[in-house]
Amino acid sequence: MGSQSEVMHCYEQIAPLTERMLVLARAKQWGELPRLEGQCSSMVERLKDIEPLSTLDEAQSARKYVLLGRISANSSEIVGMIMPQLSKLVGVMKSLDRQRSLHKAYGQPDDAYLP
């Protein structure tokens, strides 16, 4: 596969991956997102290596920007759904850390409250 078609192949793979991630995020199925994000990241890393060395024709450039628009819109919506979940997780972790500090300060073992 030549570098030119490989660049477009990467974009053609990333767009549906972000669409699938968006479907999962909307359904609050967070567990599958890291695997798909890893696939996207691998494709992006590959693009960083090959895209500067390639030249796209006018039609490919137009298609690339359509795909980038979809990828960007999907990513923005995903981030909008993930950030509240991350904030909630950070809050829970801080609460657990405070509880652990209190238990330690008052002489209770860390595992006294673990299920």
Side-chain angles (χ1 to χ4, degrees):
M1 180 182 301
S3 64
Q4 194 171 25
S5 61
E6 188 175 0
V7 166
M8 291 310 299
H9 175 77
C10 288
Y11 284 109
E12 294 284 353
Q13 296 299 307
I14 294 169
L17 282 172
T18 61
E19 288 166 4
R20 178 71 182 133
M21 291 170 66
L22 181 56
V23 167
L24 291 169
R26 286 177 176 159
K28 298 188 181 340
Q29 295 179 354
W30 310 114
E32 192 69 16
L33 289 176
R35 182 181 66 79
L36 295 175
E37 195 283 327
Q39 291 176 6
C40 283
S41 291
S42 293
M43 289 285 189
V44 168
E45 289 303 314
R46 181 70 184 138
L47 277 171
K48 286 179 184 177
D49 291 338
I50 63 174
E51 194 165 22
L53 306 174
S54 69
T55 303
L56 301 177
D57 64 28
E58 192 174 315
Q60 290 170 323
S61 289
R63 178 71 179 144
K64 171 185 158 180
Y65 287 108
V66 167
L67 292 170
L68 280 172
R70 285 176 36 200
I71 293 165
S72 178
N74 293 338
S75 296
S76 293
E77 191 170 341
I78 293 165
V79 167
M81 286 185 265
I82 289 175
M83 291 312 291
Q85 296 299 318
L86 287 175
S87 294
K88 188 184 299 185
L89 179 60
V90 168
V92 167
M93 291 173 66
K94 285 181 181 179
S95 176
L96 289 173
D97 190 45
R98 282 191 296 268
Q99 286 178 2
R100 181 171 285 133
S101 294
L102 286 171
H103 294 303
K104 190 174 183 177
Y106 292 102
Q108 297 174 341
D110 285 341
D111 61 354
Y113 293 93
L114 293 177

PDB file of all heavy atoms in Angstrom, residues 1 7 18-19 22 58 60-61 66 68-69 74-75 89 113:
ATOM      1  N   MET A   1       0.859  -1.180   0.000  1.00  0.00           N
ATOM      2  CA  MET A   1       0.000   0.000   0.000  1.00  0.00           C
ATOM      3  C   MET A   1       0.892   1.225   0.000  1.00  0.00           C
ATOM      4  O   MET A   1       1.786   1.343   0.829  1.00  0.00           O
ATOM      5  CB  MET A   1      -0.893  -0.054   1.252  1.00  0.00           C
ATOM      6  CG  MET A   1      -1.853   1.101   1.396  1.00  0.00           C
ATOM      7  SD  MET A   1      -2.858   1.039   2.922  1.00  0.00           S
ATOM      8  CE  MET A   1      -3.718  -0.486   2.789  1.00  0.00           C
ATOM      9  N   VAL A   7      -2.499   6.864   4.080  1.00  0.00           N
ATOM     10  CA  VAL A   7      -3.001   8.027   4.828  1.00  0.00           C
ATOM     11  C   VAL A   7      -4.524   8.021   4.814  1.00  0.00           C
ATOM     12  O   VAL A   7      -5.169   8.141   5.858  1.00  0.00           O
ATOM     13  CB  VAL A   7      -2.447   9.347   4.232  1.00  0.00           C
ATOM     14  CG1 VAL A   7      -3.210  10.550   4.769  1.00  0.00           C
ATOM     15  CG2 VAL A   7      -0.962   9.473   4.534  1.00  0.00           C
ATOM     16  N   THR A  18     -14.443   6.347  15.895  1.00  0.00           N
ATOM     17  CA  THR A  18     -14.986   7.399  16.769  1.00  0.00           C
ATOM     18  C   THR A  18     -16.508   7.353  16.789  1.00  0.00           C
ATOM     19  O   THR A  18     -17.120   7.664  17.815  1.00  0.00           O
ATOM     20  CB  THR A  18     -14.506   8.804  16.354  1.00  0.00           C
ATOM     21  OG1 THR A  18     -14.929   9.100  15.023  1.00  0.00           O
ATOM     22  CG2 THR A  18     -12.993   8.926  16.481  1.00  0.00           C
ATOM     23  N   GLU A  19     -17.121   6.944  15.685  1.00  0.00           N
ATOM     24  CA  GLU A  19     -18.585   6.804  15.669  1.00  0.00           C
ATOM     25  C   GLU A  19     -19.023   5.694  16.609  1.00  0.00           C
ATOM     26  O   GLU A  19     -20.002   5.839  17.342  1.00  0.00           O
ATOM     27  CB  GLU A  19     -19.079   6.570  14.242  1.00  0.00           C
ATOM     28  CG  GLU A  19     -18.974   7.831  13.401  1.00  0.00           C
ATOM     29  CD  GLU A  19     -19.130   7.596  11.904  1.00  0.00           C
ATOM     30  OE1 GLU A  19     -19.396   6.452  11.477  1.00  0.00           O
ATOM     31  OE2 GLU A  19     -18.971   8.581  11.167  1.00  0.00           O
ATOM     32  N   LEU A  22     -18.722   6.873  20.121  1.00  0.00           N
ATOM     33  CA  LEU A  22     -19.819   7.775  20.458  1.00  0.00           C
ATOM     34  C   LEU A  22     -21.082   6.990  20.800  1.00  0.00           C
ATOM     35  O   LEU A  22     -21.767   7.302  21.779  1.00  0.00           O
ATOM     36  CB  LEU A  22     -20.074   8.741  19.304  1.00  0.00           C
ATOM     37  CG  LEU A  22     -21.181   9.766  19.501  1.00  0.00           C
ATOM     38  CD1 LEU A  22     -20.957  10.606  20.755  1.00  0.00           C
ATOM     39  CD2 LEU A  22     -21.269  10.659  18.257  1.00  0.00           C
ATOM     40  N   GLU A  58      -6.572  16.479  -4.894  1.00  0.00           N
ATOM     41  CA  GLU A  58      -7.682  17.355  -4.484  1.00  0.00           C
ATOM     42  C   GLU A  58      -8.851  16.558  -3.913  1.00  0.00           C
ATOM     43  O   GLU A  58      -9.414  16.927  -2.882  1.00  0.00           O
ATOM     44  CB  GLU A  58      -8.132  18.186  -5.678  1.00  0.00           C
ATOM     45  CG  GLU A  58      -9.068  19.316  -5.312  1.00  0.00           C
ATOM     46  CD  GLU A  58      -9.381  20.212  -6.500  1.00  0.00           C
ATOM     47  OE1 GLU A  58      -8.456  20.574  -7.244  1.00  0.00           O
ATOM     48  OE2 GLU A  58     -10.565  20.541  -6.657  1.00  0.00           O
ATOM     49  N   GLN A  60      -8.790  13.540  -2.568  1.00  0.00           N
ATOM     50  CA  GLN A  60      -8.401  12.948  -1.292  1.00  0.00           C
ATOM     51  C   GLN A  60      -8.373  13.990  -0.188  1.00  0.00           C
ATOM     52  O   GLN A  60      -8.791  13.716   0.941  1.00  0.00           O
ATOM     53  CB  GLN A  60      -7.040  12.264  -1.427  1.00  0.00           C
ATOM     54  CG  GLN A  60      -7.069  11.024  -2.275  1.00  0.00           C
ATOM     55  CD  GLN A  60      -5.690  10.507  -2.587  1.00  0.00           C
ATOM     56  OE1 GLN A  60      -4.761  11.288  -2.808  1.00  0.00           O
ATOM     57  NE2 GLN A  60      -5.544   9.186  -2.619  1.00  0.00           N
ATOM     58  N   SER A  61      -7.878  15.174  -0.512  1.00  0.00           N
ATOM     59  CA  SER A  61      -7.863  16.250   0.483  1.00  0.00           C
ATOM     60  C   SER A  61      -9.280  16.610   0.915  1.00  0.00           C
ATOM     61  O   SER A  61      -9.537  16.796   2.110  1.00  0.00           O
ATOM     62  CB  SER A  61      -7.168  17.494  -0.065  1.00  0.00           C
ATOM     63  OG  SER A  61      -5.795  17.277  -0.178  1.00  0.00           O
ATOM     64  N   VAL A  66     -13.610  16.047   5.173  1.00  0.00           N
ATOM     65  CA  VAL A  66     -14.925  15.538   5.572  1.00  0.00           C
ATOM     66  C   VAL A  66     -14.760  14.571   6.743  1.00  0.00           C
ATOM     67  O   VAL A  66     -15.477  14.653   7.749  1.00  0.00           O
ATOM     68  CB  VAL A  66     -15.644  14.858   4.381  1.00  0.00           C
ATOM     69  CG1 VAL A  66     -16.854  14.058   4.850  1.00  0.00           C
ATOM     70  CG2 VAL A  66     -16.055  15.886   3.344  1.00  0.00           C
ATOM     71  N   LEU A  68     -12.212  14.384   8.805  1.00  0.00           N
ATOM     72  CA  LEU A  68     -11.747  15.132   9.988  1.00  0.00           C
ATOM     73  C   LEU A  68     -12.901  15.827  10.687  1.00  0.00           C
ATOM     74  O   LEU A  68     -12.936  15.896  11.919  1.00  0.00           O
ATOM     75  CB  LEU A  68     -10.680  16.147   9.590  1.00  0.00           C
ATOM     76  CG  LEU A  68      -9.272  15.610   9.406  1.00  0.00           C
ATOM     77  CD1 LEU A  68      -8.357  16.676   8.818  1.00  0.00           C
ATOM     78  CD2 LEU A  68      -8.718  15.099  10.723  1.00  0.00           C
ATOM     79  N   GLY A  69     -13.840  16.344   9.922  1.00  0.00           N
ATOM     80  CA  GLY A  69     -15.015  16.976  10.526  1.00  0.00           C
ATOM     81  C   GLY A  69     -15.828  15.986  11.338  1.00  0.00           C
ATOM     82  O   GLY A  69     -16.252  16.289  12.459  1.00  0.00           O
ATOM     83  N   ASN A  74     -17.402  13.866  16.541  1.00  0.00           N
ATOM     84  CA  ASN A  74     -17.562  12.697  17.414  1.00  0.00           C
ATOM     85  C   ASN A  74     -16.718  12.839  18.669  1.00  0.00           C
ATOM     86  O   ASN A  74     -17.194  12.595  19.786  1.00  0.00           O
ATOM     87  CB  ASN A  74     -17.153  11.416  16.671  1.00  0.00           C
ATOM     88  CG  ASN A  74     -18.078  11.067  15.534  1.00  0.00           C
ATOM     89  OD1 ASN A  74     -19.225  11.495  15.487  1.00  0.00           O
ATOM     90  ND2 ASN A  74     -17.574  10.296  14.588  1.00  0.00           N
ATOM     91  N   SER A  75     -15.473  13.230  18.496  1.00  0.00           N
ATOM     92  CA  SER A  75     -14.555  13.364  19.639  1.00  0.00           C
ATOM     93  C   SER A  75     -15.050  14.407  20.630  1.00  0.00           C
ATOM     94  O   SER A  75     -15.007  14.182  21.842  1.00  0.00           O
ATOM     95  CB  SER A  75     -13.150  13.722  19.152  1.00  0.00           C
ATOM     96  OG  SER A  75     -12.634  12.677  18.373  1.00  0.00           O
ATOM     97  N   LEU A  89     -15.501  10.316  39.097  1.00  0.00           N
ATOM     98  CA  LEU A  89     -14.490   9.366  39.527  1.00  0.00           C
ATOM     99  C   LEU A  89     -13.431  10.039  40.398  1.00  0.00           C
ATOM    100  O   LEU A  89     -13.036   9.505  41.437  1.00  0.00           O
ATOM    101  CB  LEU A  89     -13.825   8.707  38.315  1.00  0.00           C
ATOM    102  CG  LEU A  89     -12.717   7.709  38.601  1.00  0.00           C
ATOM    103  CD1 LEU A  89     -13.222   6.541  39.436  1.00  0.00           C
ATOM    104  CD2 LEU A  89     -12.118   7.219  37.294  1.00  0.00           C
ATOM    105  N   TYR A 113     -12.304  -1.489  56.288  1.00  0.00           N
ATOM    106  CA  TYR A 113     -13.564  -1.137  55.659  1.00  0.00           C
ATOM    107  C   TYR A 113     -13.681  -1.665  54.239  1.00  0.00           C
ATOM    108  O   TYR A 113     -14.596  -1.307  53.525  1.00  0.00           O
ATOM    109  CB  TYR A 113     -13.735   0.383  55.661  1.00  0.00           C
ATOM    110  CG  TYR A 113     -13.913   0.912  57.062  1.00  0.00           C
ATOM    111  CD1 TYR A 113     -12.816   1.354  57.796  1.00  0.00           C
ATOM    112  CD2 TYR A 113     -15.139   0.888  57.678  1.00  0.00           C
ATOM    113  CE1 TYR A 113     -12.961   1.795  59.090  1.00  0.00           C
ATOM    114  CE2 TYR A 113     -15.291   1.338  58.979  1.00  0.00           C
ATOM    115  CZ  TYR A 113     -14.206   1.793  59.687  1.00  0.00           C
ATOM    116  OH  TYR A 113     -14.352   2.212  60.959  1.00  0.00           O
TER     117      TYR A 113
END
